[in-house]
């Protein structure tokens, strides 16, 4: 693999369509809004969610809600950003000390299983992913997230294969990560038994590529 990975997008250019809270009281209010929106999405999906319902459940005025979230897209964006931050922290922690092939097998397999379980347990995550596919800016945010996650994997591969072409390692890691996200989303769209088989097959395929000499 020697194809050069496309240039990475400037994260600053993918601006969040909402006002960021600066004071503790505002942050707590925004947390209530997002918790309310998450509960409503879990119950009825983001398409059916109404801004007035979010405000009512969060115990805030509709004006206060619009101050931070001008529309439903902004809410979905904020929830996506939150899940992104949580997932990156988990990935960084799992991979930071990996220094041999066996440790990589274990850490990578556990990360895939965690991601799969989250999608099975959290309907909000599934709805957020569906929402990103219809929004170009959210797709760019998701792509930037995948590149950032792949960089943690690249760091491991460079430790395991110091003589390998770094561009090839970057290409491999990015593709493996993107395929993993696709595999998990396919797995949750079929029955659980088949989904488990698909995830297991993906892990075997991915590890063969990651550990190739």
């Amino acid at each position: 693999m020697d194809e050069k990975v496309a240039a990475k997008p400037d994260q600053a250019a993918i601006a969040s369509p909402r006002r960021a809270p600066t004071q503790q009281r505002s942050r707590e209010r925004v947390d209530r809004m997002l918790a309310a929106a998450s509960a409503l999405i879990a119950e009825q999906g983001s398409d059916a969610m109404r801004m007035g319902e979010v405000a009512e459940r969060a115990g805030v005025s509709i004006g206060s809600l619009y101050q931070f979230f001008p529309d439903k897209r902004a809410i979905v964006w904020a929830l996506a950003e939150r899940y992104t931050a949580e997932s990156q922290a988990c990935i960084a922690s799992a991979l930071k000390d990996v220094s041999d092939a066996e440790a990589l097998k274990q850490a990578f397999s556990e990360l895939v299983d965690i991601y799969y379980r989250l999608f099975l347990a959290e309907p909000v995550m599934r709805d957020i992913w569906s929402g990103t596919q219809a929004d170009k800016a959210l797709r760019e945010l998701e792509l930037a997230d995948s590149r950032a996650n792949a960089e943690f994997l690249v760091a491991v591969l460079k430790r395991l294969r110091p003589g390998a072409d770094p561009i090839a390692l970057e290409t491999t890691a990015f593709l493996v990560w993107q395929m993993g996200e696709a595999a998990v989303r396919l797995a949750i769209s079929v029955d659980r038994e088949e989904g488990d088989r698909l995830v297991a097959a993906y892990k075997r395929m991915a590890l063969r590529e990651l550990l190739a000499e």
Side-chain angles (χ1 to χ4, degrees), residues 107-122:
F108 182 80
S109 181
E110 288 176 355
L111 283 171
V112 174
D113 288 341
I114 290 170
Y115 191 65
Y116 181 36
R117 288 196 299 269
L118 279 174
F119 263 80
L120 287 170
E122 294 286 349

Side-chain angles (χ1 to χ4, degrees), residues 32-33 36-37 40 49-66 75:
R32 292 203 309 275
M33 295 173 189
L40 286 165
M49 181 182 70
R50 297 291 177 266
M51 297 293 280
E53 293 177 310
V54 176
E56 181 178 0
R57 184 167 295 200
V60 301
S61 69
I62 191 67
S64 181
L65 177 64
Y66 278 119
I75 292 176

